[in-house]
Amino acid sequence: MGNANISGPRIKQAREQLGWDQSELAAALFVDFQIKLDRSDISEIERQKRGVKDYELDAIARVLGVTPQWLLRGEENSNE
């Protein structure tokens, strides 16, 4: 079975750069966007075992202070 997403490793990288654990990311997503993911969901996303819905990816990017493009491709502007 292949990877369920391509953004997991960059989500983990951005989260760790903020000094957050997975529970803190989950809490921020709920407080800011009412998206209920628990620590195990975040873990599965980061390990590419769980897919990410488009609205989840957008919220994760906003909470982590990065762009969805960076989470998906590792670049800020895909049109340049």
Side-chain angles (χ1 to χ4, degrees):
M1 182 176 181
N3 294 335
N5 72 64
I6 61 172
S7 59
R10 282 184 287 278
I11 291 171
K12 180 177 181 178
Q13 178 185 346
R15 175 182 60 75
E16 289 178 341
Q17 285 179 343
L18 291 175
W20 291 2
D21 64 25
Q22 293 169 338
S23 297
E24 289 171 308
L25 175 54
L29 288 168
F30 186 73
V31 168
D32 291 354
F33 297 98
Q34 293 71 53
I35 294 175
K36 183 152 177 47
L37 297 175
D38 59 26
R39 188 214 52 81
S40 64
D41 292 322
I42 301 296
S43 175
E44 288 182 357
I45 290 169
E46 290 181 352
R47 292 181 293 123
Q48 300 175 298
K49 302 298 181 192
R50 177 192 182 279
V52 183
K53 296 175 175 79
D54 56 358
Y55 67 89
E56 292 172 337
L57 187 74
D58 182 61
I60 290 168
R62 289 173 184 235
V63 165
L64 294 175
V66 297
T67 65
Q69 291 83 3
W70 184 81
L71 291 178
L72 290 169
R73 297 188 188 103
E75 51 194 48
E76 290 301 318
N77 292 314
S78 60
N79 294 333
E80 293 183 4

